Amino acid sequence: MVMTITYKNITTAREEAGQAFIGIATLNRPSVLNALNHELMTELVAALQEFDQDETVRAIVITGSDRAFAAGADIKEMCDETTVSMMLKDRLATWDKIKNIKKPIIAAVSGFALGGGCELSMMCDIIIASETAQFGQPEINIGVIPGAGGTQRLTRVLGKYKAMELTLTGRPFSAKEALELGLVNKVLPVELYLEEAKAMAREIAAKSPIAVRLAKEAVLKSFDGTLDEGLTFERKNFYMLFSSEDQKEGMKAFLEKRKAVFTGR
């Protein structure tokens, strides 16, 4: 069973994953290689929020086409802006809402993932890439810098020196190099990358949704403060799960040597 809702710049679908569903959001501006304009990002955020609020959806995949995940931000939309107009419109605030999605998001990336496309992939929790994927932050080539988190997320993953190189030269880098740098989880042939992302989403969807949510929170918390603060947060979430029906079911099923049935309660 697949249910699809059509937007102007994206498509969405829900696909069965056992007793639950996975949500799939596909960027769909092929004429401009999925360039990320404000309208597309507004639709994408709305779709992600809808998936997040749907209790039957337990994991989300964001993808584009085999040729381009997203070739970057829509330069036509920004070319004539000024500092004041950019600050007043504050369109990047729309991107910030993706950070508030509680369910895990997997990016399935093929072809170009440059500029805003690279930044969008890094906003996801897991990245599955095809062998043709090209990542990069080429903003320096048009007289600006990454504005949707590229300098911060690249540095957290790659370290100062490699992040400096990629940000200051703007050079693209392959899926193979991204894998070696720890930026992506897996690299597969172009005919397999999307199915692998869906398979991983279905695997996550079979887990306790409460535990998945708190695990995601705990991992993300590790970037926000000291190790001690992260450990305290992790322990609190660990203890909280002992009030859930899923914890009782999961441990009972383990002891009874059967598969657990999680309900998200």
Side-chain angles (χ1 to χ4, degrees):
M1 174 183 177
V2 178
M3 298 184 295
T4 305
I5 303 171
T6 303
Y7 294 83
K8 181 179 177 182
N9 300 281
I10 67 171
T11 64
T12 63
R14 291 165 174 79
E15 294 189 5
E16 285 186 351
Q19 295 180 323
F21 289 88
I22 61 173
I24 302 163
T26 303
L27 310 183
N28 189 34
R29 295 186 74 205
S31 63
V32 288
L33 298 177
N34 293 334
L36 303 173
N37 64 2
H38 181 61
E39 186 177 48
L40 183 153
M41 291 304 300
T42 299
E43 289 183 0
L44 178 61
V45 167
L48 295 178
Q49 290 174 334
E50 183 181 357
F51 286 145
D52 210 29
Q53 293 163 10
D54 185 342
E55 290 187 3
T56 68
V57 173
R58 295 188 179 179
I60 301 168
V61 175
I62 298 178
T63 191
S65 68
D66 290 347
R67 185 182 179 194
F69 177 71
D74 193 328
I75 304 304
K76 286 185 179 179
E77 190 175 64
M78 297 186 292
C79 185
D80 295 325
E81 298 286 359
T82 67
T83 297
V84 172
S85 67
M86 288 292 283
M87 291 178 65
L88 290 177
K89 292 176 182 177
D90 196 17
R91 287 178 170 172
L92 287 175
T94 300
W95 294 57
D96 292 339
K97 297 176 183 178
I98 297 175
K99 296 184 297 185
N100 298 324
I101 301 300
K102 298 176 178 62
K103 292 172 183 173
I105 304 174
I106 300 173
V109 178
S110 186
F112 300 112
L114 304 174
C118 186
E119 290 172 305
L120 177 59
S121 72
M122 289 192 292
M123 295 184 79
C124 299
D125 303 302
I126 294 169
I127 304 177
I128 306 296
S130 84
E131 292 172 339
T132 68
Q134 283 193 47
F135 298 87
Q137 300 292 164
E139 290 88 348
I140 200 77
N141 295 321
I142 56 171
V144 292
I145 66 171
T151 63
Q152 303 305 298
R153 292 189 174 93
L154 270 182
T155 304
R156 280 164 169 74
V157 174
L158 310 182
K160 169 188 170 181
Y161 300 104
K162 182 57 69 172
M164 279 289 191
E165 174 196 337
L166 296 174
T167 302
L168 299 184
T169 67
R171 74 167 177 85
F173 54 101
S174 67
K176 181 177 181 293
E177 184 175 356
L179 181 65
E180 292 170 350
L181 292 171
L183 187 67
V184 305
N185 296 77
K186 294 184 178 182
V187 176
L188 292 101
V190 69
E191 62 269 20
L192 297 176
Y193 79 99
L194 181 54
E195 287 308 311
E196 176 63 22
K198 291 181 181 180
M200 188 174 291
R202 287 191 290 269
E203 181 179 359
I204 293 170
K207 314 300 184 186
S208 163
I210 300 176
V212 167
R213 172 177 169 174
L214 295 185
K216 173 173 172 171
E217 283 185 2
V219 171
L220 293 178
K221 185 68 175 179
S222 69
F223 293 96
D224 294 339
T226 66
L227 176 59
D228 283 344
E229 290 170 340
L231 291 171
T232 299
F233 187 85
E234 177 193 76
R235 188 164 302 162
K236 174 180 69 71
N237 281 6
F238 176 70
Y239 291 156
M240 282 175 60
L241 286 166
F242 282 78
S243 294
S244 72
E245 294 176 14
D246 278 356
Q247 174 266 328
K248 302 296 185 290
E249 164 65 8
M251 292 190 175
K252 185 177 180 182
F254 176 81
L255 294 173
E256 294 175 355
K257 295 179 170 52
R258 60 175 175 82
K259 185 175 181 179
V261 179
F262 295 117
T263 62
R265 298 287 185 267

